[in-house]
Amino acid sequence: MKYTINLFGYNVDCKISIGSEGLSIEIPDENQNALRQYLVRVLPKYGRTATNDSSLETLIELAIDAENTLDGHMVEPKLKLPYEFQPEIKEKLIKAAAIQDISATQLLIRIIEKKYQEVME
């Protein structure tokens, strides 16, 4: 079944399977790449060194360490985008974000990251 989980302050779409061996979570490659880019962007805020060359495994280990140190959860940096939207576009963006329980800025960042991956692949 498809489900969205929050990993280190980032909502990731995944597939959850329950079998005889237990629970498994599969994250598609495109969502793994988006999570990786998110962690590279966010981890320095928590005093961790992360680069574009870091593996996803290393980034996740750093994120777990950061959250254990925080005794809480990491959050995505808040950005004020310097863009003016037409009112009807802004309303659609806010409504779509509310349905996904994220901020409009986070939704816009996700859309941009997905489009960037499409173009670069």
Side-chain angles (χ1 to χ4, degrees):
M1 66 187 95
K2 291 185 177 182
Y3 190 70
T4 300
I5 59 173
N6 186 300
L7 290 174
F8 316 111
Y10 186 76
N11 290 322
V12 179
D13 296 327
C14 64
K15 181 180 175 185
I16 296 178
S17 303
I18 302 171
S20 59
E21 295 141 18
L23 177 73
S24 68
I25 299 173
E26 294 178 37
I27 301 174
D29 288 342
E30 65 186 32
N31 292 342
Q32 288 182 38
N33 289 333
L35 176 62
R36 190 177 167 292
Q37 290 174 5
Y38 164 77
L39 290 172
V40 167
R41 193 172 61 245
V42 173
L43 282 169
K45 175 182 174 186
Y46 295 96
R48 305 306 188 275
T49 303
T51 67
N52 287 327
D53 296 329
S54 301
S55 70
L56 181 59
E57 181 179 357
T58 299
L59 294 170
I60 289 174
E61 287 172 0
L62 290 170
I64 290 170
D65 180 60
E67 286 197 342
N68 286 338
T69 303
L70 288 172
D71 290 328
H73 298 287
M74 295 175 18
V75 295
E76 186 162 11
K78 300 292 182 199
L79 301 174
K80 180 167 178 158
L81 298 174
Y83 306 112
E84 291 295 325
F85 293 101
Q86 297 171 342
E88 59 272 6
I89 298 296
K90 187 175 183 179
E91 288 174 21
K92 288 178 183 177
L93 181 64
I94 291 169
K95 185 175 182 180
I99 291 170
Q100 297 180 55
D101 196 29
I102 59 176
S103 73
T105 301
Q106 289 171 321
L107 177 58
L108 197 51
I109 289 169
R110 287 180 80 180
I111 292 168
I112 292 167
E113 285 177 342
K114 284 183 181 181
K115 185 50 86 176
Y116 176 80
Q117 288 174 8
E118 286 176 18
V119 170
M120 295 308 286
E121 290 177 355

